[in-house]
Amino acid sequence: MSYVQDHLSRRDFLRNTACTAAATGAALSSSALAADVPAGKTPALPYGVLGRTKYPVTLVSFGAILIADSIGTRVVKAGIDAGMNLLHTSMTYMKGKSVPAIGELFKADKRYREKVFLCLKSFTPDKDQELNEMLEALGTDYTDVLLSTMDKPDPARLETIQKAQESLKKRGKIRHTGFVCHGDMNGVCEMVLEKASDFFDVCLLSTAPLGLAGDRRSPKADEQTQRFIKNLKALRSKGVGILSMKSGAKEASRRGAEVFGPHVKAVLAAGCDSVLTSINTLDQVGMIRTLKLQASTTPADEQAAAEFSRSRGNACMMCGQCSKGCPNGVPVADLMRIRMYYREYGWCDHARSEFQALGRNLPALTARCSDCTVCGRACPAGLANSLLVQDIASLFA
Ligand code: SF4
Ligand code: SF4
C-alpha cells in the first residue's frame, strides 16, 4: 500500500477535525452561547466565544494589514457596521498607516472603539513605547489583547513577555494576555503548554500546518499536522482563545462566498474561534455579511473547501523547520513567509517592510548557499531550497 493510500483523504481529514472540534467543544453555535452574552451585546453576525476571555467573537474577524488612509477608514467602519467585532492591527502594517487609519474612525466616534475587541501586535514586549504609540494613534487607553510575537521556542523571551504583560495588565493598558507566532508554530505552542499553560488568554496562529493548504502527503508534513492538531486541542482545553491567520482566507474571499464560506467552516471546525481575514474592500464586507456560517457543514461545503485547498498548491506550513539547521544563519522561514506575502498574496509593500525589518545583508548570507541542501531536506512541504532562498534574498536587496 502506498503512503498516500495509507493515510487520510482530505475529506476524511476535514471530517476528523470537525469531529475533534465538536468533541472538545470547539464547534460553537450562537444559540448555545446566547445566554452568556450581556444584553445588547449580541453580535449581528454568527459568533462563538473567544476562550477564557468569554468575548462573543464573530466567526470572521477583521484583519487590518491592508488598511491605509481614509479609504481604509471607510472599509473598517463598514466592517464594524456589518457586525464584525474583532479588529487586529499592528504598527508595521501598510508602512505604519493602518493604525492611524483606524484611529481616525475611533477618534471621530468613540462608539466604534467600544464595538470591537481590539488586538494589537507587539514586537518589543520589554518596552512600552510601541504600545503607547499605537494607543495614542488609536485614541484609546487600552487594548483588549496584546499579541506579543514569539517565533521560536525561546524561554527567555517567554519570560520577558509574561513579565511585561502582567505589568501592562496591572496598569490597565491591556485587558487580556496573548501571543502570536509566525515561525515554529508547534515548538512555540509546546513551550507555552509546558511553561505557561495558564498564562495566555488568546493566541493568533497560522493554520497552514493544519494541512488546509495544498495536498501534502509526506510523512514529515503529516507529523507537523498531527502535532499541530494536538497542540490546538491542548490550548483550547486550557481555555486559550484561538484566532486563525494565513489559512488562505484572503484568497478564498477573492473567489466569493461559495468558496470563502466553506473555507471558513473548515478552519473553525479544526478548532479555531475566529478566522482573521485581511479586508480592504467594501465588496468583501458585503460578501461576509451574506455568509451562513451557523448552518451545518454539507458535503458540498467539504468539496468546495477541499477544491480550494488543492488549487493553492503546496503553501508554506510555517513550521520553521527550514531555519533550524542553516549553517549560515539565514532566516529561511522568514524569507519563505515574505515570499508568500509577495508572490501568493500580492502584498508587495508588506513583503518589502518585513524584508527590511530583518535588517540583514541577505544576499551576502545566501551567496554562501552553494550546493547546500539542509533547508530543502528539512522542509516538510518540499518548498525551501537554495535557489529559491537566493531568489527571495535578492527580491528587495
Ligand atoms: S541552502 Fe542556504 S539557506 Fe538553505 S540551509 Fe543551506 S546555507 Fe542555509
Ligand atoms: S518553507 Fe518549509 S520548512 Fe520552511 S516554514 Fe515553510 S513549510 Fe516549514
Side-chain angles (χ1 to χ4, degrees), residues 46 58-61 212 244 247-250 252-253 257-277 287-288 291-293 297 301 305 308:
T58 48
L59 300 179
V60 176
S61 46
L212 292 162
S244 156
S247 65
K250 177 67 173 174
S253 79
E258 58 284 2
V259 174
F260 186 63
H263 174 74
V264 169
K265 283 183 176 182
V267 177
L268 294 170
C272 299
D273 295 306
S274 185
V275 179
L276 200 61
T277 308
M287 181 273 287
I288 288 165
L291 300 175
K292 304 274 185 282
L293 296 173
T297 299
D301 286 336
F308 170 66

PDB file of all heavy atoms in Angstrom, residues 46 58-61 212 244 247-250 252-253 257-277 287-288 291-293 297 301 305 308:
ATOM      1  N   PRO A  46     -22.787  35.696  12.851  1.00  0.00           N
ATOM      2  CA  PRO A  46     -22.548  34.467  13.608  1.00  0.00           C
ATOM      3  C   PRO A  46     -21.280  34.580  14.467  1.00  0.00           C
ATOM      4  O   PRO A  46     -20.274  35.132  14.029  1.00  0.00           O
ATOM      5  CB  PRO A  46     -22.366  33.411  12.519  1.00  0.00           C
ATOM      6  CG  PRO A  46     -23.115  33.947  11.354  1.00  0.00           C
ATOM      7  CD  PRO A  46     -22.969  35.436  11.415  1.00  0.00           C
ATOM      8  N   THR A  58     -17.106  37.333  16.570  1.00  0.00           N
ATOM      9  CA  THR A  58     -17.683  36.893  15.298  1.00  0.00           C
ATOM     10  C   THR A  58     -16.744  35.893  14.616  1.00  0.00           C
ATOM     11  O   THR A  58     -15.524  35.964  14.770  1.00  0.00           O
ATOM     12  CB  THR A  58     -17.960  38.092  14.363  1.00  0.00           C
ATOM     13  OG1 THR A  58     -16.811  38.945  14.318  1.00  0.00           O
ATOM     14  CG2 THR A  58     -19.149  38.881  14.856  1.00  0.00           C
ATOM     15  N   LEU A  59     -17.337  34.961  13.890  1.00  0.00           N
ATOM     16  CA  LEU A  59     -16.559  33.847  13.340  1.00  0.00           C
ATOM     17  C   LEU A  59     -15.575  34.302  12.259  1.00  0.00           C
ATOM     18  O   LEU A  59     -14.588  33.632  12.000  1.00  0.00           O
ATOM     19  CB  LEU A  59     -17.501  32.763  12.797  1.00  0.00           C
ATOM     20  CG  LEU A  59     -18.446  32.155  13.846  1.00  0.00           C
ATOM     21  CD1 LEU A  59     -19.351  31.107  13.201  1.00  0.00           C
ATOM     22  CD2 LEU A  59     -17.694  31.554  15.021  1.00  0.00           C
ATOM     23  N   VAL A  60     -15.883  35.430  11.635  1.00  0.00           N
ATOM     24  CA  VAL A  60     -14.913  36.064  10.735  1.00  0.00           C
ATOM     25  C   VAL A  60     -14.542  37.398  11.364  1.00  0.00           C
ATOM     26  O   VAL A  60     -15.414  38.168  11.770  1.00  0.00           O
ATOM     27  CB  VAL A  60     -15.510  36.309   9.332  1.00  0.00           C
ATOM     28  CG1 VAL A  60     -14.512  37.065   8.458  1.00  0.00           C
ATOM     29  CG2 VAL A  60     -15.875  34.984   8.666  1.00  0.00           C
ATOM     30  N   SER A  61     -13.255  37.657  11.490  1.00  0.00           N
ATOM     31  CA  SER A  61     -12.845  38.921  12.109  1.00  0.00           C
ATOM     32  C   SER A  61     -11.980  39.732  11.152  1.00  0.00           C
ATOM     33  O   SER A  61     -11.496  39.219  10.139  1.00  0.00           O
ATOM     34  CB  SER A  61     -12.156  38.654  13.445  1.00  0.00           C
ATOM     35  OG  SER A  61     -11.234  37.624  13.337  1.00  0.00           O
ATOM     36  N   LEU A 212      -4.671  22.499   5.607  1.00  0.00           N
ATOM     37  CA  LEU A 212      -5.771  23.025   4.803  1.00  0.00           C
ATOM     38  C   LEU A 212      -5.257  23.608   3.498  1.00  0.00           C
ATOM     39  O   LEU A 212      -6.011  23.843   2.580  1.00  0.00           O
ATOM     40  CB  LEU A 212      -6.512  24.117   5.590  1.00  0.00           C
ATOM     41  CG  LEU A 212      -7.278  23.596   6.801  1.00  0.00           C
ATOM     42  CD1 LEU A 212      -7.589  24.725   7.754  1.00  0.00           C
ATOM     43  CD2 LEU A 212      -8.539  22.902   6.364  1.00  0.00           C
ATOM     44  N   SER A 244      -7.301  32.359  13.934  1.00  0.00           N
ATOM     45  CA  SER A 244      -6.586  31.786  12.788  1.00  0.00           C
ATOM     46  C   SER A 244      -6.095  32.887  11.847  1.00  0.00           C
ATOM     47  O   SER A 244      -6.812  33.854  11.585  1.00  0.00           O
ATOM     48  CB  SER A 244      -7.543  30.870  12.012  1.00  0.00           C
ATOM     49  OG  SER A 244      -7.130  30.738  10.668  1.00  0.00           O
ATOM     50  N   SER A 247      -4.621  31.170   6.673  1.00  0.00           N
ATOM     51  CA  SER A 247      -5.245  29.906   6.267  1.00  0.00           C
ATOM     52  C   SER A 247      -5.494  29.893   4.763  1.00  0.00           C
ATOM     53  O   SER A 247      -5.904  28.869   4.221  1.00  0.00           O
ATOM     54  CB  SER A 247      -6.589  29.760   6.989  1.00  0.00           C
ATOM     55  OG  SER A 247      -7.473  30.774   6.547  1.00  0.00           O
ATOM     56  N   GLY A 248      -5.299  31.044   4.112  1.00  0.00           N
ATOM     57  CA  GLY A 248      -5.685  31.189   2.700  1.00  0.00           C
ATOM     58  C   GLY A 248      -7.000  31.942   2.586  1.00  0.00           C
ATOM     59  O   GLY A 248      -7.585  32.030   1.505  1.00  0.00           O
ATOM     60  N   ALA A 249      -7.462  32.513   3.718  1.00  0.00           N
ATOM     61  CA  ALA A 249      -8.783  33.154   3.746  1.00  0.00           C
ATOM     62  C   ALA A 249      -8.893  34.322   2.765  1.00  0.00           C
ATOM     63  O   ALA A 249      -9.937  34.518   2.151  1.00  0.00           O
ATOM     64  CB  ALA A 249      -9.104  33.615   5.169  1.00  0.00           C
ATOM     65  N   LYS A 250      -7.805  35.092   2.634  1.00  0.00           N
ATOM     66  CA  LYS A 250      -7.881  36.244   1.726  1.00  0.00           C
ATOM     67  C   LYS A 250      -8.142  35.783   0.295  1.00  0.00           C
ATOM     68  O   LYS A 250      -9.003  36.325  -0.400  1.00  0.00           O
ATOM     69  CB  LYS A 250      -6.569  37.044   1.797  1.00  0.00           C
ATOM     70  CG  LYS A 250      -6.496  38.226   0.852  1.00  0.00           C
ATOM     71  CD  LYS A 250      -7.484  39.311   1.206  1.00  0.00           C
ATOM     72  CE  LYS A 250      -7.280  40.565   0.362  1.00  0.00           C
ATOM     73  NZ  LYS A 250      -8.328  41.558   0.610  1.00  0.00           N
ATOM     74  N   ALA A 252      -9.445  32.940  -0.596  1.00  0.00           N
ATOM     75  CA  ALA A 252     -10.791  32.347  -0.647  1.00  0.00           C
ATOM     76  C   ALA A 252     -11.844  33.446  -0.768  1.00  0.00           C
ATOM     77  O   ALA A 252     -12.828  33.306  -1.508  1.00  0.00           O
ATOM     78  CB  ALA A 252     -11.036  31.497   0.605  1.00  0.00           C
ATOM     79  N   SER A 253     -11.629  34.556  -0.054  1.00  0.00           N
ATOM     80  CA  SER A 253     -12.624  35.636  -0.113  1.00  0.00           C
ATOM     81  C   SER A 253     -12.655  36.275  -1.495  1.00  0.00           C
ATOM     82  O   SER A 253     -13.695  36.721  -1.957  1.00  0.00           O
ATOM     83  CB  SER A 253     -12.361  36.675   0.979  1.00  0.00           C
ATOM     84  OG  SER A 253     -11.319  37.542   0.603  1.00  0.00           O
ATOM     85  N   ALA A 257     -18.338  34.061  -1.936  1.00  0.00           N
ATOM     86  CA  ALA A 257     -18.949  33.411  -0.770  1.00  0.00           C
ATOM     87  C   ALA A 257     -18.974  31.897  -0.892  1.00  0.00           C
ATOM     88  O   ALA A 257     -18.853  31.183   0.099  1.00  0.00           O
ATOM     89  CB  ALA A 257     -20.364  33.943  -0.578  1.00  0.00           C
ATOM     90  N   GLU A 258     -19.134  31.403  -2.121  1.00  0.00           N
ATOM     91  CA  GLU A 258     -19.265  29.942  -2.286  1.00  0.00           C
ATOM     92  C   GLU A 258     -17.958  29.211  -2.005  1.00  0.00           C
ATOM     93  O   GLU A 258     -17.956  27.998  -1.765  1.00  0.00           O
ATOM     94  CB  GLU A 258     -19.811  29.580  -3.676  1.00  0.00           C
ATOM     95  CG  GLU A 258     -19.038  30.053  -4.871  1.00  0.00           C
ATOM     96  CD  GLU A 258     -19.190  31.546  -5.195  1.00  0.00           C
ATOM     97  OE1 GLU A 258     -19.889  32.288  -4.474  1.00  0.00           O
ATOM     98  OE2 GLU A 258     -18.580  31.966  -6.174  1.00  0.00           O
ATOM     99  N   VAL A 259     -16.829  29.938  -2.003  1.00  0.00           N
ATOM    100  CA  VAL A 259     -15.542  29.344  -1.612  1.00  0.00           C
ATOM    101  C   VAL A 259     -15.177  29.781  -0.197  1.00  0.00           C
ATOM    102  O   VAL A 259     -14.761  28.968   0.633  1.00  0.00           O
ATOM    103  CB  VAL A 259     -14.422  29.767  -2.599  1.00  0.00           C
ATOM    104  CG1 VAL A 259     -13.053  29.276  -2.117  1.00  0.00           C
ATOM    105  CG2 VAL A 259     -14.716  29.221  -3.987  1.00  0.00           C
ATOM    106  N   PHE A 260     -15.368  31.057   0.083  1.00  0.00           N
ATOM    107  CA  PHE A 260     -14.956  31.586   1.382  1.00  0.00           C
ATOM    108  C   PHE A 260     -15.741  30.928   2.533  1.00  0.00           C
ATOM    109  O   PHE A 260     -15.146  30.537   3.556  1.00  0.00           O
ATOM    110  CB  PHE A 260     -15.155  33.109   1.413  1.00  0.00           C
ATOM    111  CG  PHE A 260     -14.625  33.770   2.641  1.00  0.00           C
ATOM    112  CD1 PHE A 260     -13.272  33.741   2.939  1.00  0.00           C
ATOM    113  CD2 PHE A 260     -15.476  34.424   3.522  1.00  0.00           C
ATOM    114  CE1 PHE A 260     -12.776  34.355   4.089  1.00  0.00           C
ATOM    115  CE2 PHE A 260     -14.993  35.046   4.665  1.00  0.00           C
ATOM    116  CZ  PHE A 260     -13.643  35.012   4.944  1.00  0.00           C
ATOM    117  N   GLY A 261     -17.049  30.792   2.370  1.00  0.00           N
ATOM    118  CA  GLY A 261     -17.877  30.203   3.440  1.00  0.00           C
ATOM    119  C   GLY A 261     -17.396  28.807   3.823  1.00  0.00           C
ATOM    120  O   GLY A 261     -17.092  28.539   4.993  1.00  0.00           O
ATOM    121  N   PRO A 262     -17.288  27.883   2.854  1.00  0.00           N
ATOM    122  CA  PRO A 262     -16.790  26.537   3.192  1.00  0.00           C
ATOM    123  C   PRO A 262     -15.379  26.548   3.770  1.00  0.00           C
ATOM    124  O   PRO A 262     -15.066  25.773   4.676  1.00  0.00           O
ATOM    125  CB  PRO A 262     -16.814  25.803   1.844  1.00  0.00           C
ATOM    126  CG  PRO A 262     -17.889  26.494   1.071  1.00  0.00           C
ATOM    127  CD  PRO A 262     -17.811  27.943   1.478  1.00  0.00           C
ATOM    128  N   HIS A 263     -14.515  27.439   3.274  1.00  0.00           N
ATOM    129  CA  HIS A 263     -13.147  27.513   3.809  1.00  0.00           C
ATOM    130  C   HIS A 263     -13.187  27.922   5.284  1.00  0.00           C
ATOM    131  O   HIS A 263     -12.522  27.306   6.128  1.00  0.00           O
ATOM    132  CB  HIS A 263     -12.320  28.510   2.999  1.00  0.00           C
ATOM    133  CG  HIS A 263     -10.962  28.752   3.572  1.00  0.00           C
ATOM    134  ND1 HIS A 263      -9.934  27.834   3.487  1.00  0.00           N
ATOM    135  CD2 HIS A 263     -10.462  29.798   4.296  1.00  0.00           C
ATOM    136  CE1 HIS A 263      -8.865  28.298   4.108  1.00  0.00           C
ATOM    137  NE2 HIS A 263      -9.157  29.494   4.613  1.00  0.00           N
ATOM    138  N   VAL A 264     -13.964  28.946   5.598  1.00  0.00           N
ATOM    139  CA  VAL A 264     -14.056  29.403   6.997  1.00  0.00           C
ATOM    140  C   VAL A 264     -14.607  28.284   7.877  1.00  0.00           C
ATOM    141  O   VAL A 264     -14.092  28.017   8.970  1.00  0.00           O
ATOM    142  CB  VAL A 264     -14.954  30.670   7.097  1.00  0.00           C
ATOM    143  CG1 VAL A 264     -15.278  30.996   8.549  1.00  0.00           C
ATOM    144  CG2 VAL A 264     -14.245  31.852   6.442  1.00  0.00           C
ATOM    145  N   LYS A 265     -15.624  27.589   7.394  1.00  0.00           N
ATOM    146  CA  LYS A 265     -16.190  26.489   8.185  1.00  0.00           C
ATOM    147  C   LYS A 265     -15.140  25.418   8.491  1.00  0.00           C
ATOM    148  O   LYS A 265     -15.080  24.866   9.585  1.00  0.00           O
ATOM    149  CB  LYS A 265     -17.365  25.843   7.446  1.00  0.00           C
ATOM    150  CG  LYS A 265     -18.658  26.642   7.513  1.00  0.00           C
ATOM    151  CD  LYS A 265     -19.738  25.847   6.804  1.00  0.00           C
ATOM    152  CE  LYS A 265     -21.085  26.505   6.895  1.00  0.00           C
ATOM    153  NZ  LYS A 265     -22.127  25.697   6.239  1.00  0.00           N
ATOM    154  N   ALA A 266     -14.297  25.120   7.490  1.00  0.00           N
ATOM    155  CA  ALA A 266     -13.262  24.090   7.689  1.00  0.00           C
ATOM    156  C   ALA A 266     -12.251  24.539   8.733  1.00  0.00           C
ATOM    157  O   ALA A 266     -11.830  23.739   9.584  1.00  0.00           O
ATOM    158  CB  ALA A 266     -12.556  23.798   6.362  1.00  0.00           C
ATOM    159  N   VAL A 267     -11.867  25.816   8.704  1.00  0.00           N
ATOM    160  CA  VAL A 267     -10.885  26.312   9.685  1.00  0.00           C
ATOM    161  C   VAL A 267     -11.496  26.302  11.092  1.00  0.00           C
ATOM    162  O   VAL A 267     -10.851  25.902  12.065  1.00  0.00           O
ATOM    163  CB  VAL A 267     -10.407  27.736   9.310  1.00  0.00           C
ATOM    164  CG1 VAL A 267      -9.453  28.278  10.367  1.00  0.00           C
ATOM    165  CG2 VAL A 267      -9.719  27.732   7.949  1.00  0.00           C
ATOM    166  N   LEU A 268     -12.750  26.720  11.199  1.00  0.00           N
ATOM    167  CA  LEU A 268     -13.405  26.733  12.512  1.00  0.00           C
ATOM    168  C   LEU A 268     -13.549  25.309  13.048  1.00  0.00           C
ATOM    169  O   LEU A 268     -13.314  25.052  14.227  1.00  0.00           O
ATOM    170  CB  LEU A 268     -14.786  27.385  12.408  1.00  0.00           C
ATOM    171  CG  LEU A 268     -14.794  28.874  12.052  1.00  0.00           C
ATOM    172  CD1 LEU A 268     -16.226  29.324  11.748  1.00  0.00           C
ATOM    173  CD2 LEU A 268     -14.209  29.715  13.180  1.00  0.00           C
ATOM    174  N   ALA A 269     -13.912  24.405  12.157  1.00  0.00           N
ATOM    175  CA  ALA A 269     -14.105  23.015  12.584  1.00  0.00           C
ATOM    176  C   ALA A 269     -12.810  22.395  13.091  1.00  0.00           C
ATOM    177  O   ALA A 269     -12.818  21.497  13.921  1.00  0.00           O
ATOM    178  CB  ALA A 269     -14.652  22.187  11.427  1.00  0.00           C
ATOM    179  N   ALA A 270     -11.692  22.905  12.594  1.00  0.00           N
ATOM    180  CA  ALA A 270     -10.394  22.375  13.026  1.00  0.00           C
ATOM    181  C   ALA A 270     -10.017  22.862  14.421  1.00  0.00           C
ATOM    182  O   ALA A 270      -9.041  22.387  14.993  1.00  0.00           O
ATOM    183  CB  ALA A 270      -9.319  22.768  12.030  1.00  0.00           C
ATOM    184  N   GLY A 271     -10.766  23.803  14.976  1.00  0.00           N
ATOM    185  CA  GLY A 271     -10.512  24.193  16.370  1.00  0.00           C
ATOM    186  C   GLY A 271     -10.230  25.667  16.598  1.00  0.00           C
ATOM    187  O   GLY A 271      -9.745  26.023  17.661  1.00  0.00           O
ATOM    188  N   CYS A 272     -10.548  26.527  15.639  1.00  0.00           N
ATOM    189  CA  CYS A 272     -10.307  27.970  15.839  1.00  0.00           C
ATOM    190  C   CYS A 272     -11.614  28.655  16.220  1.00  0.00           C
ATOM    191  O   CYS A 272     -12.699  28.194  15.891  1.00  0.00           O
ATOM    192  CB  CYS A 272      -9.744  28.582  14.556  1.00  0.00           C
ATOM    193  SG  CYS A 272      -8.162  27.834  14.109  1.00  0.00           S
ATOM    194  N   ASP A 273     -11.483  29.792  16.906  1.00  0.00           N
ATOM    195  CA  ASP A 273     -12.663  30.543  17.333  1.00  0.00           C
ATOM    196  C   ASP A 273     -13.083  31.583  16.315  1.00  0.00           C
ATOM    197  O   ASP A 273     -14.254  31.940  16.245  1.00  0.00           O
ATOM    198  CB  ASP A 273     -12.373  31.246  18.670  1.00  0.00           C
ATOM    199  CG  ASP A 273     -12.142  30.247  19.778  1.00  0.00           C
ATOM    200  OD1 ASP A 273     -13.014  29.379  19.977  1.00  0.00           O
ATOM    201  OD2 ASP A 273     -11.082  30.312  20.426  1.00  0.00           O
ATOM    202  N   SER A 274     -12.129  32.107  15.588  1.00  0.00           N
ATOM    203  CA  SER A 274     -12.455  33.128  14.589  1.00  0.00           C
ATOM    204  C   SER A 274     -11.375  33.114  13.502  1.00  0.00           C
ATOM    205  O   SER A 274     -10.209  32.859  13.792  1.00  0.00           O
ATOM    206  CB  SER A 274     -12.511  34.515  15.250  1.00  0.00           C
ATOM    207  OG  SER A 274     -12.945  35.483  14.317  1.00  0.00           O
ATOM    208  N   VAL A 275     -11.804  33.374  12.281  1.00  0.00           N
ATOM    209  CA  VAL A 275     -10.860  33.387  11.152  1.00  0.00           C
ATOM    210  C   VAL A 275     -10.561  34.844  10.816  1.00  0.00           C
ATOM    211  O   VAL A 275     -11.427  35.578  10.334  1.00  0.00           O
ATOM    212  CB  VAL A 275     -11.460  32.662   9.931  1.00  0.00           C
ATOM    213  CG1 VAL A 275     -10.482  32.698   8.760  1.00  0.00           C
ATOM    214  CG2 VAL A 275     -11.807  31.225  10.290  1.00  0.00           C
ATOM    215  N   LEU A 276      -9.336  35.231  11.107  1.00  0.00           N
ATOM    216  CA  LEU A 276      -8.897  36.595  10.805  1.00  0.00           C
ATOM    217  C   LEU A 276      -8.634  36.679   9.307  1.00  0.00           C
ATOM    218  O   LEU A 276      -7.907  35.857   8.757  1.00  0.00           O
ATOM    219  CB  LEU A 276      -7.614  36.856  11.589  1.00  0.00           C
ATOM    220  CG  LEU A 276      -7.206  38.290  11.829  1.00  0.00           C
ATOM    221  CD1 LEU A 276      -8.238  39.040  12.630  1.00  0.00           C
ATOM    222  CD2 LEU A 276      -5.881  38.307  12.581  1.00  0.00           C
ATOM    223  N   THR A 277      -9.235  37.664   8.678  1.00  0.00           N
ATOM    224  CA  THR A 277      -9.108  37.811   7.228  1.00  0.00           C
ATOM    225  C   THR A 277      -8.720  39.241   6.916  1.00  0.00           C
ATOM    226  O   THR A 277      -9.335  40.169   7.450  1.00  0.00           O
ATOM    227  CB  THR A 277     -10.476  37.529   6.557  1.00  0.00           C
ATOM    228  OG1 THR A 277     -10.956  36.281   7.020  1.00  0.00           O
ATOM    229  CG2 THR A 277     -10.348  37.486   5.051  1.00  0.00           C
ATOM    230  N   MET A 287     -19.799  40.698   1.044  1.00  0.00           N
ATOM    231  CA  MET A 287     -19.846  39.241   0.882  1.00  0.00           C
ATOM    232  C   MET A 287     -19.892  38.551   2.248  1.00  0.00           C
ATOM    233  O   MET A 287     -20.659  37.607   2.459  1.00  0.00           O
ATOM    234  CB  MET A 287     -18.612  38.800   0.077  1.00  0.00           C
ATOM    235  CG  MET A 287     -18.507  37.317  -0.205  1.00  0.00           C
ATOM    236  SD  MET A 287     -17.687  36.416   1.093  1.00  0.00           S
ATOM    237  CE  MET A 287     -15.995  36.927   0.832  1.00  0.00           C
ATOM    238  N   ILE A 288     -19.088  39.047   3.194  1.00  0.00           N
ATOM    239  CA  ILE A 288     -19.028  38.416   4.521  1.00  0.00           C
ATOM    240  C   ILE A 288     -20.394  38.494   5.222  1.00  0.00           C
ATOM    241  O   ILE A 288     -20.794  37.571   5.920  1.00  0.00           O
ATOM    242  CB  ILE A 288     -17.894  39.061   5.355  1.00  0.00           C
ATOM    243  CG1 ILE A 288     -16.544  38.601   4.791  1.00  0.00           C
ATOM    244  CG2 ILE A 288     -18.009  38.715   6.845  1.00  0.00           C
ATOM    245  CD1 ILE A 288     -15.345  39.398   5.263  1.00  0.00           C
ATOM    246  N   LEU A 291     -22.732  35.405   4.576  1.00  0.00           N
ATOM    247  CA  LEU A 291     -22.348  34.025   4.904  1.00  0.00           C
ATOM    248  C   LEU A 291     -23.281  33.403   5.937  1.00  0.00           C
ATOM    249  O   LEU A 291     -23.668  34.049   6.899  1.00  0.00           O
ATOM    250  CB  LEU A 291     -20.911  33.987   5.439  1.00  0.00           C
ATOM    251  CG  LEU A 291     -19.811  34.486   4.510  1.00  0.00           C
ATOM    252  CD1 LEU A 291     -18.474  34.485   5.234  1.00  0.00           C
ATOM    253  CD2 LEU A 291     -19.750  33.643   3.241  1.00  0.00           C
ATOM    254  N   LYS A 292     -23.578  32.133   5.730  1.00  0.00           N
ATOM    255  CA  LYS A 292     -24.434  31.396   6.680  1.00  0.00           C
ATOM    256  C   LYS A 292     -23.538  30.404   7.434  1.00  0.00           C
ATOM    257  O   LYS A 292     -23.581  29.206   7.207  1.00  0.00           O
ATOM    258  CB  LYS A 292     -25.532  30.631   5.927  1.00  0.00           C
ATOM    259  CG  LYS A 292     -26.399  31.511   5.042  1.00  0.00           C
ATOM    260  CD  LYS A 292     -27.552  32.113   5.822  1.00  0.00           C
ATOM    261  CE  LYS A 292     -28.499  32.905   4.937  1.00  0.00           C
ATOM    262  NZ  LYS A 292     -28.000  34.245   4.589  1.00  0.00           N
ATOM    263  N   LEU A 293     -22.719  30.944   8.320  1.00  0.00           N
ATOM    264  CA  LEU A 293     -21.705  30.098   8.951  1.00  0.00           C
ATOM    265  C   LEU A 293     -22.250  29.192  10.042  1.00  0.00           C
ATOM    266  O   LEU A 293     -21.574  28.263  10.474  1.00  0.00           O
ATOM    267  CB  LEU A 293     -20.575  30.974   9.506  1.00  0.00           C
ATOM    268  CG  LEU A 293     -19.793  31.741   8.434  1.00  0.00           C
ATOM    269  CD1 LEU A 293     -18.822  32.717   9.055  1.00  0.00           C
ATOM    270  CD2 LEU A 293     -19.057  30.778   7.503  1.00  0.00           C
ATOM    271  N   THR A 297     -22.169  21.926   8.178  1.00  0.00           N
ATOM    272  CA  THR A 297     -21.309  21.705   7.007  1.00  0.00           C
ATOM    273  C   THR A 297     -21.907  20.601   6.137  1.00  0.00           C
ATOM    274  O   THR A 297     -22.231  19.520   6.630  1.00  0.00           O
ATOM    275  CB  THR A 297     -19.899  21.301   7.470  1.00  0.00           C
ATOM    276  OG1 THR A 297     -19.370  22.375   8.240  1.00  0.00           O
ATOM    277  CG2 THR A 297     -18.981  21.039   6.293  1.00  0.00           C
ATOM    278  N   ASP A 301     -20.055  21.739   0.936  1.00  0.00           N
ATOM    279  CA  ASP A 301     -19.078  22.612   1.623  1.00  0.00           C
ATOM    280  C   ASP A 301     -17.721  21.925   1.679  1.00  0.00           C
ATOM    281  O   ASP A 301     -16.680  22.539   1.417  1.00  0.00           O
ATOM    282  CB  ASP A 301     -19.520  22.895   3.071  1.00  0.00           C
ATOM    283  CG  ASP A 301     -20.680  23.874   3.155  1.00  0.00           C
ATOM    284  OD1 ASP A 301     -20.851  24.670   2.221  1.00  0.00           O
ATOM    285  OD2 ASP A 301     -21.403  23.824   4.172  1.00  0.00           O
ATOM    286  N   ALA A 305     -14.308  23.331   0.038  1.00  0.00           N
ATOM    287  CA  ALA A 305     -13.114  23.624   0.849  1.00  0.00           C
ATOM    288  C   ALA A 305     -11.925  22.812   0.350  1.00  0.00           C
ATOM    289  O   ALA A 305     -10.801  23.332   0.240  1.00  0.00           O
ATOM    290  CB  ALA A 305     -13.389  23.315   2.322  1.00  0.00           C
ATOM    291  N   PHE A 308     -10.663  24.171  -3.016  1.00  0.00           N
ATOM    292  CA  PHE A 308      -9.910  25.418  -2.815  1.00  0.00           C
ATOM    293  C   PHE A 308      -8.505  25.105  -2.312  1.00  0.00           C
ATOM    294  O   PHE A 308      -7.513  25.650  -2.795  1.00  0.00           O
ATOM    295  CB  PHE A 308     -10.640  26.331  -1.826  1.00  0.00           C
ATOM    296  CG  PHE A 308      -9.808  27.504  -1.397  1.00  0.00           C
ATOM    297  CD1 PHE A 308      -9.445  28.475  -2.314  1.00  0.00           C
ATOM    298  CD2 PHE A 308      -9.342  27.621  -0.092  1.00  0.00           C
ATOM    299  CE1 PHE A 308      -8.643  29.555  -1.939  1.00  0.00           C
ATOM    300  CE2 PHE A 308      -8.544  28.678   0.285  1.00  0.00           C
ATOM    301  CZ  PHE A 308      -8.189  29.653  -0.637  1.00  0.00           C
TER     302      PHE A 308
END
